[in-house]
Amino acid sequence: MSLDALSALENLLPAAEPAPEPPKVQPKDIVQEDKLKSEKGVRVGEREDTLPPDYRFTEDKMKDLPRPQKEPSMDSGEALDILSGDFSSSAVAPAATASAAPSKQ
Protein backbone atom coordinates (compact mmCIF):
# COMPACT_ATOMS: atom_id res chain seq x y z
CA MET A 1 0.00 0.00 0.00
CA SER A 2 1.47 3.32 -0.92
CA LEU A 3 1.67 6.32 1.35
CA ASP A 4 -0.07 8.48 -1.26
CA ALA A 5 -3.27 6.45 -0.86
CA LEU A 6 -3.16 6.83 2.92
CA SER A 7 -2.53 10.55 2.76
CA ALA A 8 -5.45 10.91 0.34
CA LEU A 9 -7.71 9.13 2.83
CA GLU A 10 -6.38 11.31 5.63
CA ASN A 11 -7.38 14.42 3.69
CA LEU A 12 -10.99 13.16 3.56
CA LEU A 13 -11.26 12.95 7.36
CA PRO A 14 -12.33 16.01 9.35
CA ALA A 15 -9.72 17.78 11.43
CA ALA A 16 -9.17 16.36 14.92
CA GLU A 17 -10.90 18.31 17.67
CA PRO A 18 -8.99 19.05 20.84
CA ALA A 19 -9.86 16.80 23.81
CA PRO A 20 -12.27 18.41 26.27
CA GLU A 21 -10.92 19.37 29.67
CA PRO A 22 -11.80 16.97 32.49
CA PRO A 23 -14.35 18.34 34.96
CA LYS A 24 -12.96 20.21 37.95
CA VAL A 25 -13.53 18.69 41.38
CA GLN A 26 -15.47 21.05 43.59
CA PRO A 27 -15.87 20.83 47.37
CA LYS A 28 -19.58 20.01 47.05
CA ASP A 29 -18.70 16.88 45.02
CA ILE A 30 -16.48 15.38 47.73
CA VAL A 31 -18.29 12.65 49.66
CA GLN A 32 -17.82 12.28 53.40
CA GLU A 33 -17.69 8.61 54.40
CA ASP A 34 -19.12 9.05 57.91
CA LYS A 35 -22.14 10.88 56.45
CA LEU A 36 -22.84 8.00 54.05
CA LYS A 37 -22.56 5.37 56.78
CA SER A 38 -24.97 7.23 59.03
CA GLU A 39 -27.73 7.33 56.39
CA LYS A 40 -29.77 4.17 56.24
CA GLY A 41 -31.04 3.02 52.87
CA VAL A 42 -34.52 1.71 52.24
CA ARG A 43 -35.00 -1.54 50.42
CA VAL A 44 -37.86 -2.07 48.05
CA GLY A 45 -40.69 -3.81 49.87
CA GLU A 46 -39.75 -2.71 53.38
CA ARG A 47 -42.19 0.16 53.17
CA GLU A 48 -45.64 -0.07 51.65
CA ASP A 49 -45.11 3.03 49.50
CA THR A 50 -42.20 1.33 47.69
CA LEU A 51 -44.42 -1.49 46.39
CA PRO A 52 -46.43 -1.28 43.19
CA PRO A 53 -50.20 -0.99 43.59
CA ASP A 54 -52.10 -4.27 44.00
CA TYR A 55 -48.87 -6.13 44.85
CA ARG A 56 -50.11 -7.69 48.08
CA PHE A 57 -53.24 -9.83 48.31
CA THR A 58 -56.11 -8.34 50.23
CA GLU A 59 -58.45 -10.38 52.40
CA ASP A 60 -61.12 -10.25 49.68
CA LYS A 61 -58.76 -11.67 47.07
CA MET A 62 -57.54 -14.36 49.47
CA LYS A 63 -61.10 -15.64 49.93
CA ASP A 64 -61.51 -16.11 46.17
CA LEU A 65 -58.34 -18.21 45.80
CA PRO A 66 -58.38 -21.97 46.48
CA ARG A 67 -56.52 -23.21 49.54
CA PRO A 68 -53.11 -24.73 48.83
CA GLN A 69 -53.05 -28.50 48.86
CA LYS A 70 -51.49 -30.17 51.85
CA GLU A 71 -48.15 -31.76 51.01
CA PRO A 72 -47.96 -35.49 51.66
CA SER A 73 -45.78 -36.50 54.55
CA MET A 74 -43.61 -39.61 54.76
CA ASP A 75 -41.37 -41.09 57.38
CA SER A 76 -37.61 -41.08 56.98
CA GLY A 77 -37.42 -44.80 56.16
CA GLU A 78 -39.77 -44.43 53.22
CA ALA A 79 -37.86 -41.38 51.98
CA LEU A 80 -34.59 -43.29 52.23
CA ASP A 81 -36.06 -46.17 50.22
CA ILE A 82 -37.14 -43.77 47.47
CA LEU A 83 -33.76 -42.05 47.33
CA SER A 84 -31.74 -45.26 47.34
CA GLY A 85 -34.02 -47.10 44.90
CA ASP A 86 -31.79 -46.43 41.88
CA PHE A 87 -28.72 -47.88 43.55
CA SER A 88 -28.17 -51.59 43.13
CA SER A 89 -25.63 -53.53 45.10
CA SER A 90 -23.49 -55.76 42.94
CA ALA A 91 -22.20 -58.93 44.56
CA VAL A 92 -18.64 -58.79 43.33
CA ALA A 93 -17.03 -56.44 40.90
CA PRO A 94 -15.81 -58.27 37.79
CA ALA A 95 -12.10 -58.88 37.89
CA ALA A 96 -10.12 -57.46 35.06
CA THR A 97 -8.23 -60.13 33.20
CA ALA A 98 -5.06 -59.16 31.46
CA SER A 99 -2.68 -61.49 29.74
CA ALA A 100 0.80 -61.49 31.12
CA ALA A 101 3.44 -60.11 28.85
CA PRO A 102 5.89 -62.76 27.69
CA SER A 103 9.16 -62.47 29.46
CA LYS A 104 12.28 -62.04 27.40
CA GLN A 105 15.08 -64.35 28.47
Side-chain angles (χ1 to χ4, degrees):
M1 199 184 233
S2 69
L3 292 177
D4 294 333
L6 291 177
S7 62
L9 285 174
E10 182 182 3
N11 293 338
L12 294 175
L13 296 174
E17 296 177 4
E21 288 187 30
K24 304 274 188 205
V25 177
Q26 298 180 2
K28 67 175 184 160
D29 297 333
I30 298 174
V31 176
Q32 301 296 330
E33 186 175 349
D34 54 338
K35 182 181 176 186
L36 278 180
K37 287 185 177 180
S38 66
E39 294 177 7
K40 183 176 179 180
V42 177
R43 295 184 180 162
V44 174
E46 285 183 347
R47 291 189 341 232
E48 289 297 318
D49 62 336
T50 61
L51 293 174
D54 298 330
Y55 180 77
R56 297 201 193 275
F57 285 115
T58 60
E59 292 294 324
D60 298 333
K61 288 183 183 178
M62 291 296 287
K63 290 177 185 175
D64 295 339
L65 296 174
R67 290 191 164 264
Q69 294 181 355
K70 193 173 186 180
E71 291 196 20
S73 62
M74 63 176 73
D75 60 348
S76 59
E78 187 179 353
L80 187 60
D81 290 341
I82 292 171
L83 291 174
S84 64
D86 292 338
F87 296 106
S88 61
S89 59
S90 60
V92 177
T97 57
S99 61
S103 62
K104 295 182 181 180
Q105 290 183 344

